[in-house]
Amino acid sequence: MLNLTNYSATPIQLITENLNNNNFYMKRDDLFPLSFGGNKARKAVHFFKDMISNNADCIVTYGSNASNHCRVVANIAASMKVPCYIVSPNQSDSQTFNSEMVKLFNASIIKCPIEEVNTTIKKKLKELKLQGYIPYFIPGGGHGDIGTKAYLEVYREIVEFERTSGVQFDYIFHTTGTGTTQAGLVCGKILGNDEKKIVGISNARRNPYGGKVVLESINSYLGSIGAPEISKDEVVFIDAYTLEGYGKYNVGILNTIENILRQDGIPLDPIYTGKSFWGMKEYIKSNGIKDKNVLFIHTGGTPLFFNHLKEIK
Ligand SMILES: *Cc1c(COP(=O)(O)O)cnc(C)c1O
């Protein structure tokens, strides 16, 4: 079975980028040591620990054909030899490296129209219970308090890096999607009484919805530990760089990916990390941010780098 505990902090490295005389660091959460890493692996270990403590014996989750989340969940389930069911919308049926791996791990894919996702999940859970299984449901993208907790852990790793290196970050940038990566980081900042600015660069969702989901995730977690709620002013959810939505990218993004790969040897992808790294640079330019220490969190998705390698060239 894959190791769900005892992993060490992912590295933080200085990178070549120096826009506006800022120092750029990258936290390599893509190197989280399990199934190509990334934030979905980071979250999944917490869900599986919860699954084990609930004595569950099979997994039901949700995601598209390109989903990093589904690849990680299917991988861990396969290592534990527990059945894994993935509800996936009909609309997403092209082959990707992640969908190929999901097949390799023998997960069962249940296709349905996107409007029927919730009912299909409920139906599957009910069916499994009737068959005598104890199913465990992991929300798409690893959403929920458990996912938030995983990024609280990342925030603590960042603070520990600051303590041992003497570097203090003024900004943390990262790709924000379904919200718990950002929620965990913001909770870490609030609970640690820190000043850092945390800027989520959305890859798809727009405001007010995108920011609202992050805020709800933050307050749900804070509520669960008896801490006071926060207001929406404390969430910086930037939707200015989503282009026409999920999966859309431009030449600036592809050039950014090529540069980072050439100069630093780090793979980004056009759907998540490359898009938001480009968005971060645009944000820094338009907000006149200079002479700061900036940390970008690489949230993973390395298989997507390979899906798009041809376009990057
Ligand atoms: C899912 C994903 C994100 C977005 O994370 P959320 O917690 O859903 O906001 C960012 N980067 C990568 C590579 C992802 O797979």
Side-chain angles (χ1 to χ4, degrees), residues 89-117:
N90 284 333
Q91 286 83 340
S92 71
D93 51 9
S94 63
Q95 241 185 31
T96 67
F97 286 110
N98 279 333
S99 69
E100 288 297 286
M101 281 190 269
V102 164
K103 276 190 212 143
L104 186 82
F105 301 135
N106 290 325
S108 310
I109 314 289
I110 306 165
K111 289 275 181 193
C112 70
I114 195 148
E115 320 77 67
E116 288 171 23
V117 162

Side-chain angles (χ1 to χ4, degrees), residues 39-40 43 68 141 175-181 269 272-273 299-301:
N39 65 351
K40 302 311 183 304
K43 297 183 202 187
N68 293 313
T175 318
T176 190
T178 62
T180 48
T181 298
D269 78 86
Y272 294 101
T273 54
T299 43

Side-chain angles (χ1 to χ4, degrees), residues 37-40 43 66-69 71 98 140-143 147 151 174-183 201 203 205 214 237 246 269 271-273 276 297-302 304:
N39 65 351
K40 302 311 183 304
K43 297 183 202 187
S67 167
N68 293 313
H69 168 73
R71 176 243 311 153
N98 279 333
H143 200 68
Y151 268 77
H174 65 96
T175 318
T176 190
T178 62
T180 48
T181 298
Q182 184 161 14
I201 305 284
N203 70 324
R205 285 184 181 172
V214 174
F237 183 97
Y246 185 87
D269 78 86
I271 313 303
Y272 294 101
T273 54
S276 61
I297 302 181
H298 190 321
T299 43
T302 300
L304 300 181

Side-chain angles (χ1 to χ4, degrees), residues 176-198:
T176 190
T178 62
T180 48
T181 298
Q182 184 161 14
L185 296 169
V186 174
C187 286
K189 168 188 145 144
I190 289 164
L191 297 172
N193 248 324
D194 286 345
E195 292 296 307
K196 271 183 265 303
K197 295 188 176 64
I198 297 171

Side-chain angles (χ1 to χ4, degrees), residues 15 20 62 126 149 173 235 277:
I15 60 171
N20 286 359
Y62 162 70
K126 199 168 155 198
K149 201 172 90 188
F173 284 89
V235 177
F277 195 93

Side-chain angles (χ1 to χ4, degrees), residues 203-218:
N203 70 324
R205 285 184 181 172
R206 309 298 297 256
N207 280 317
Y209 177 65
K212 190 169 145 260
V213 176
V214 174
L215 180 66
E216 283 167 2
S217 303
I218 294 168

